Amino acid sequence: MKRVGRVFEYFAGCGLVAALALAPTQWSFTAARGVNVSPADLLLLPVAGCWLLGVLVTGRWRRLVPCQGFACGIVPHPFWRFWPHALLVLIAAVSVGVAADRAAAVKEVVQLNLYLIVAPLLVFDFVRPANTLITRRLALVLAALLAPLLVNVSVAVVQYVHSGLQDFAVRGLFLNRNVLGGYLALTAPILFGLAVDSLRRLLRSVAIFVLLAALTVTLAGAAYAAITLALLLLAARKGARLFLITAVCLTLWQVFVLPRLPRENDLAHFRSVALYDANGVPERRYPEWQAAASLILTHPLTGVGAGNYQRQIGQYYDVVPNATGPTEPDIQNLYLVLAASLGLPALFVWMAILGRAVFAAAGAARGCPTWQTGLAGGLMAGIGAFALTALWHPLLVRGIGIPLAAILALTQAMACSHGVLPALPAPNTTEPA
């Protein structure tokens, strides 16, 4: 029976790697009742089913029983580290009761469950501590995270050189430049972290080349600023020499390269985050921030329900001008959207989720061997850049949710495996070839 259970776990591992590789795109198909479903989100369901069968058949479920907890002097399964994720999903589920559109709220809760519970637990259990194969599994997950980065950057380069496309259409496999920028802010610092600690010149050169291409196609100013700040902080972590080299290179890039690129990237960055447009009219993003703040003041505890932000925000503009007509999508503030939809408790829990991941990665970076040091630093910088970019864009969306879940899980797994956090008893070593 254990052999059958390991087969289930093997297929779960293969499916998880495939889901990570397929995730970074917002392409979806319409299922029943007009619900848009992406292939990666859909794949997570059978993957979770295979994993659950494997856990049951092999008997590993006994390690997940919470009654063997702190009272017995036994450290429980490290899944407990994801309790803030479960708490945020619970808050979202409670918010269904106050939502005007309950169908939209339920849809949002299901998506949050996939991104905050299912995906992180699957990744964490796949790359779990006290496992002699952790390096190989970590490399598999890392390859599944970075291969789509190369694909998205390549597609965005083609879009960038196409003179007939507007700036917001340089989007890779996403719907617009804002979501692409958020994805690059999350993943591009990982490349720099690996390049900094790589002992192979070829890999370092390839990583730097892809990073420069990513900076070229990032036309969302907030994401570009977040990425450059993350690179500077990563360089400073390695020492004054690397920091000065990185600072000089980025300065030369900003002053002499960006203004001479076909799309005048420096102006595109400025316009994407400017307070006022060319006619002196306030851009739509910032009046909406004030309207969202008014909504939060009106419903501070419960919000207006998951998935109901856009339905309710219009009535909170008050004296703030509410422009009409088409607008660039994904220009909201993620933190205001969360607080307005789910209440201030949800906002604080979300901040705790990101903060715990950053601290876990920082701790792992001090104890990891070889290239894993650079990976831990890159994960930490990627989460920080994502958190900063989310001030200008609502980035907890399809296409970014699963990569973010994987990165959050990797920080905990690496911290656990290198002694920053208590470790697991060694599980079985079955893994995909």
Side-chain angles (χ1 to χ4, degrees), residues 303-329:
V304 294
N308 279 248
Y309 173 83
Q310 289 295 346
R311 179 188 179 102
Q312 301 290 339
I313 189 63
Q315 59 186 299
Y316 291 92
Y317 273 83
D318 297 327
V319 298
V320 179
N322 185 4
T324 58
T327 183
E328 185 171 352

Side-chain angles (χ1 to χ4, degrees), residues 36 77 126 128 134 181 198 228 287 310 333 409 430-431:
N36 294 324
H77 195 283
F126 183 71
R128 53 195 182 274
I134 184 174
S198 175
T228 54
Q310 289 295 346
N333 181 310
T430 304
E431 67 165 319

Side-chain angles (χ1 to χ4, degrees), residues 279-372:
N279 299 317
V281 178
E283 293 286 357
R284 292 193 177 191
R285 172 185 282 112
Y286 305 105
E288 183 168 330
W289 286 14
Q290 183 167 331
S294 298
L295 191 159
I296 295 168
L297 290 173
T298 307
H299 303 279
L301 189 60
T302 62
V304 294
N308 279 248
Y309 173 83
Q310 289 295 346
R311 179 188 179 102
Q312 301 290 339
I313 189 63
Q315 59 186 299
Y316 291 92
Y317 273 83
D318 297 327
V319 298
V320 179
N322 185 4
T324 58
T327 183
E328 185 171 352
D330 295 303
I331 59 171
Q332 296 83 15
N333 181 310
L334 174 62
Y335 306 101
L336 292 177
V337 171
L338 277 175
S341 303
L342 308 178
L344 289 174
L347 174 62
F348 297 145
V349 173
W350 175 247
M351 294 169 66
I353 289 172
L354 296 180
R356 292 173 80 249
V358 168
F359 287 126
R366 293 195 296 268
C368 293
T370 61
W371 62 272
Q372 294 184 32

Side-chain angles (χ1 to χ4, degrees), residues 51 63-71 73-88 116-117 120-122 124-125 129 349 352-353 356 360 408-409 412-413 415-416 420-425:
W51 175 83
R63 302 178 188 175
L64 311 183
V65 177
C67 65
Q68 295 182 349
F70 296 107
I74 301 174
V75 177
H77 195 283
F79 282 0
W80 71 267
R81 294 188 184 94
F82 298 98
W83 68 264
H85 298 230
L87 179 57
L88 184 56
L116 295 180
I117 296 180
L121 295 189
L122 289 174
F124 183 87
D125 195 58
V349 173
I353 289 172
R356 292 173 80 249
L408 294 175
Q412 298 293 330
C416 188
V420 180
L421 299 171
L424 266 173

Side-chain angles (χ1 to χ4, degrees), residues 197-243:
D197 281 283
S198 175
L199 299 178
R200 299 182 181 181
R201 291 185 178 180
L202 178 60
L203 291 178
R204 185 184 303 171
S205 300
V206 170
I208 295 298
F209 177 78
V210 175
L211 185 59
L212 290 176
L215 289 175
T216 300
V217 300
T218 303
L219 296 179
Y224 181 83
I227 293 172
T228 54
L229 179 60
L231 300 187
L232 286 171
L233 291 177
L234 270 178
R237 175 179 162 270
K238 296 297 294 184
R241 180 173 176 269
L242 181 60
F243 173 78

Side-chain angles (χ1 to χ4, degrees), residues 5 8-9 12 45-61 64 122 125:
F8 281 122
E9 290 190 330
L45 298 178
V47 168
C50 283
W51 175 83
L52 183 59
L53 286 173
V55 167
L56 292 175
V57 173
T58 59
R60 281 208 301 128
W61 62 270
L64 311 183
L122 289 174
D125 195 58

